[in-house]
């Protein structure tokens, strides 16, 4: 095996076998609660009630998170079915070299969120220490808090789930207290939190403000819609389950129940904070509405929220991506600390006030990737993957010098359209990206570079857990012929899967 093949076979990027999938439905649900309690979402609620009432902000948040939750569940099937991560799968629509372009963009976005969330956590820790000891240096708190999170993540994915199990219920309970306290503050000022609007708009302007709430929430989680497979490959699923809904139950419950409810709760807290104290920075809002021991407990909520979110939603995906780019010489733990470094040098303390424009841009760029993944995985390959070739530098995914130009061109076209129509960026980016890729790949690129699983859509050869297979990538695998590859526990022709 040459060095190029080695580069594609980093130990941390191997397919996850069935027996190593440790996250159950309840565990993934708690992970989502932990991930979605991200206090930068206060900005969506605070910005929303400046133009429309809280009830419309809530409806927009529910709509946006349900839509993005469904998109997340669609792409999660890649990890559940085949046990492969985002940067490995992206070798199919972008090529063994081209995968690095969208992967690195996603990794940088995840690192940015790590920095923003760590900044919130560090200001909260600084506030707690200031109450207890008079200490006041948020940057030292930032460095220490960042290191604690990075070491926690380096322990492995199961450690992430255990931490989320602990953090989630505590965060929700403290959040409920925070809601009633801030609502009481607003009421004492004569403000009805469900009717108050700072500068109300009507007609088309009101509709635009509503759509901005929807798309901002989608942009918030567009990163995970692209690379949820880096987490979902650890989700338990039954072997030989041909029903799509039953096989993806864990992802569905987490993404369509836990995400919308938790995100909406946090957005409401941000809105009520702005109504009560005219500021949606969660640390400022708390410091103006509480004091003493109560303030210390509420600030602890912020610390737990940022920690649980960062570990699952930001550090793990970014570390996996950087590990893929670096190859075997950059193991997962090194990718973890690379994510921490990148997230710090962007100076996240200066990004928060620009969050809504950033979310719309993120939705534009990442929605195109989600659309390309949907077209590639569902419309063209129909969930089948020639996984062995994903780990071969000279296999079918090498394309033209390692680049699938159908994916690259579609990404550029979709991003231009999505950015041009920024208010509707996610919808435009997804649709244009999916359509462009489908047409370019089907009628141009895959005619030049045939794809085995498309030309011969065999369930037994190219499906994973649906036919009971664990993809085994080891010494000598590249010499095996397609006809000699066997699934574990399945023989013969298997009926087409139900959807």
């Amino acid at each position: 095996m040459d060095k190029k093949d080695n580069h594609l076979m980093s130990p941390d990027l191997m397919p996850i076998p069935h027996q190593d999938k440790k996250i159950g439905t309840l565990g993934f649900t708690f992970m989502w609660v932990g991930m979605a309690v991200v206090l930068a979402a206060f900005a969506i609620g605070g910005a929303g009630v400046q133009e429309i009432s809280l009830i419309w902000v809530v409806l927009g948040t529910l709509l946006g998170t349900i839509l993005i939750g469904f998109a997340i569940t669609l792409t999660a099937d890649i990890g559940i079915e085949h046990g492969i991560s985002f940067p490995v799968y992206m070798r199919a629509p972008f090529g063994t070299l081209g995968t690095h372009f969208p992967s690195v963009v996603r990794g940088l976005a995840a690192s940015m969120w790590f920095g923003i969330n760590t900044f919130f956590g560090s200001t909260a820790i600084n506030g707690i220490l200031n109450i207890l000891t008079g200490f006041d240096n948020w940057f030292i708190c930032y460095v220490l808090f960042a290191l604690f999170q990075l070491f926690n993540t380096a322990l492995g994915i199961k450690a992430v789930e255990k931490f989320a199990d602990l953090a989630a219920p505590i965060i929700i309970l403290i959040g409920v207290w925070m809601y009633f306290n801030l609502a009481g503050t607003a009421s004492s000022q004569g403000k009805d939190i469900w009717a108050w609007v700072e500068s109300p708009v009507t007609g088309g302007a009101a509709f635009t403000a509503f759509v901005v709430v929807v798309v901002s929430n989608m942009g918030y989680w567009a990163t995970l819609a692209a690379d949820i497979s880096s987490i979902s490959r650890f989700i338990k699923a039954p072997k030989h389950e041909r029903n799509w809904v039953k096989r993806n139950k864990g992802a569905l419950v987490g993404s369509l129940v836990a995400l919308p409810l938790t995100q909406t709760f946090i957005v409401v807290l941000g809105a009520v904070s702005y109504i009560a104290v005219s500021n949606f920075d969660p640390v400022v809002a708390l410091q103006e509405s509480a004091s003493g021991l109560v303030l210390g407990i509420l600030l602890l909520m912020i610390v737990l929220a940022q920690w649980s979110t960062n570990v699952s939603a930001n550090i793990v995906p970014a570390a996996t991506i950087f590990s893929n780019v670096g190859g075997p010489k950059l193991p997962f733990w090194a990718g973890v600390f690379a994510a921490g470094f990148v997230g710090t040098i962007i100076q996240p303390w200066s990004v928060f006030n620009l969050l809504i424009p950033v979310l719309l841009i993120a939705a534009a760029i990442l929605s195109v990737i989600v659309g390309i993944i949907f077209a590639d995985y569902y419309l063209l390959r129909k969930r089948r993957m020639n996984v062995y070739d994903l780990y071969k530098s000279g296999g079918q995914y090498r394309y033209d010098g390692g680049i699938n130009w159908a994916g690259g061109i579609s990404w550029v076209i979709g991003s231009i359209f999505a950015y041009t129509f920024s208010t509707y960026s996610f919808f435009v980016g997804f649709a244009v990206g999916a359509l462009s890729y489908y047409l370019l790949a089907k009628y141009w690129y895959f005619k030049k570079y045939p794809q085995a699983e498309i030309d011969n859509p065999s369930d037994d050869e190219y499906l994973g857990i649906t036919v009971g297979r664990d993809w085994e990538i080891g010494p000598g695998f590249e010499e095996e012929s397609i006809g000699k590859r066997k699934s574990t526990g399945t023989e013969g022709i298997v009926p087409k899967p139900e959807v």
Side-chain angles (χ1 to χ4, degrees):
M1 186 184 304
D2 62 29
K3 292 181 180 179
K4 291 183 178 179
D5 282 326
N6 248 343
H7 181 77
L8 300 178
M9 292 180 62
S10 173
D12 297 310
L13 299 177
M14 293 294 104
I16 301 300
H18 185 266
Q19 66 269 18
D20 291 341
K21 297 186 176 187
K22 305 297 185 182
I23 300 177
T25 300
L26 184 61
F28 188 60
T29 298
F30 274 121
M31 280 184 68
W32 252 127
V33 173
M35 289 190 293
V37 180
V38 51
L39 299 188
F42 270 52
I44 297 177
V49 293
Q50 293 176 32
E51 296 185 321
I52 56 178
S53 66
L54 181 55
I55 186 64
W56 287 107
V57 173
V58 168
L59 292 175
T61 299
L62 285 171
L63 177 59
T65 49
I66 288 171
L67 289 173
I68 198 65
F70 183 66
I72 289 170
T73 305
L74 286 175
T75 53
D77 186 74
I78 296 169
I80 292 171
E81 178 68 30
H82 299 287
I84 56 177
S85 63
F86 168 73
V88 172
Y89 170 75
M90 293 301 280
R91 295 168 186 172
F94 282 88
T96 53
L97 176 62
T99 181
H100 297 322
F101 299 113
S103 296
V104 168
V105 167
R106 186 344 183 183
L108 293 175
S111 299
M112 179 193 72
W113 281 115
F114 164 78
I116 292 174
N117 292 335
T118 299
F119 171 64
F120 277 129
S122 67
T123 57
I125 293 171
N126 188 65
I128 294 172
L129 293 176
N130 188 259
I131 293 171
L132 297 175
T133 68
F135 176 88
D136 187 12
N137 191 317
W138 69 264
F139 187 74
I140 290 177
C141 294
Y142 178 94
V143 173
L144 293 176
F145 186 40
L147 289 174
F148 272 119
Q149 294 174 87
L150 297 174
F151 277 113
N152 174 233
T153 310
L155 293 176
I157 192 71
K158 192 61 181 177
V160 175
E161 182 187 358
K162 286 184 179 297
F163 186 84
D165 287 346
L166 172 66
I170 296 174
I171 293 167
I172 295 300
L173 289 173
I174 297 176
V176 170
W177 188 97
M178 182 178 178
Y179 169 82
F180 284 107
N181 186 63
L182 289 169
T185 300
S187 178
S188 68
Q189 300 170 10
K191 297 177 180 177
D192 179 351
I193 61 172
W194 293 99
W196 184 89
V197 183
E198 185 176 54
S199 302
V201 293
T202 58
F207 179 75
T208 298
F210 176 77
V211 172
V212 168
V213 172
V214 174
V215 176
S216 294
N217 279 285
M218 298 183 76
Y220 217 93
W221 297 107
T223 49
L224 276 187
D227 77 344
I228 187 63
S229 59
S230 292
I231 295 175
S232 67
R233 62 184 181 142
F234 294 96
I235 296 177
K236 297 175 184 176
K239 282 189 173 184
H240 306 289
E241 178 54 72
R242 311 200 64 78
N243 183 281
W244 187 92
V245 173
K246 292 179 180 178
R247 190 176 59 255
N248 289 283
K249 182 182 70 172
L252 281 165
V253 173
S255 302
L256 290 179
V257 179
L259 165 61
L261 292 180
T262 309
Q263 176 88 352
T264 301
F265 178 60
I266 297 303
V267 168
V268 167
L269 285 180
V272 176
S273 295
Y274 189 81
I275 295 169
V277 299
S278 300
N279 197 314
F280 51 76
D281 183 320
V283 176
V284 173
L286 287 177
Q287 289 174 332
E288 292 190 16
S289 61
S291 61
L293 179 61
V294 171
L295 176 59
I297 294 173
L298 293 175
L299 290 174
L300 179 62
M301 169 198 171
I302 293 182
V303 178
L304 293 175
Q306 306 323 295
W307 194 337
S308 59
T309 299
N310 265 343
V311 170
S312 300
N314 298 320
I315 308 175
V316 168
T320 304
I321 288 166
F322 295 149
S323 178
N324 178 53
V325 174
K329 293 183 178 180
L330 189 72
F332 177 78
W333 68 265
V336 166
F337 285 92
F341 176 74
V342 172
T344 300
I345 62 173
I346 66 164
Q347 299 182 28
W349 39 90
S350 64
V351 174
F352 180 61
N353 291 330
L354 303 173
L355 191 59
I356 299 301
V358 167
L359 288 175
L360 294 177
I361 294 171
I365 296 173
L366 292 166
S367 64
V368 184
I369 296 176
V370 178
I372 289 172
I373 292 173
F374 173 76
D376 184 76
Y377 184 66
Y378 284 98
L379 303 183
L380 293 170
R381 302 184 198 276
K382 304 188 188 307
R383 296 184 49 253
R384 295 162 181 81
M385 293 297 301
N386 184 5
V387 172
Y388 291 111
D389 273 33
L390 289 172
Y391 295 89
K392 294 159 67 174
S393 64
Q396 70 179 53
Y397 304 112
R398 187 177 187 277
Y399 302 112
D400 180 12
I403 298 177
N404 180 344
W405 287 105
I409 293 171
S410 299
W411 191 21
V412 172
I413 294 173
S415 297
I416 292 173
F417 272 88
Y419 184 77
T420 301
F421 301 96
S422 60
T423 301
Y424 306 91
S425 57
F426 193 94
F427 303 108
V428 174
F430 181 93
V432 174
L435 180 62
S436 299
Y437 182 80
Y438 180 83
L439 295 175
L440 289 174
K442 184 179 179 69
Y443 297 106
W444 170 48
Y445 221 63
F446 289 169
K447 290 186 179 296
K448 293 178 61 177
Y449 302 98
Q451 302 294 287
E453 63 270 45
I454 295 177
D455 295 342
N456 175 33
S458 166
D459 291 2
D460 192 42
E461 299 292 348
Y462 300 114
L463 285 177
I465 199 172
T466 297
V467 296
R469 169 189 282 110
D470 284 330
W471 293 99
E472 297 178 1
I473 309 296
F477 85 95
E478 65 275 13
E479 281 84 26
E480 294 182 25
S481 66
I482 293 293
K484 292 180 180 179
R485 295 169 187 162
K486 297 179 180 179
S487 61
T488 56
T490 301
E491 296 182 27
I493 302 299
V494 185
K496 292 183 179 179
E498 301 173 10
V499 177

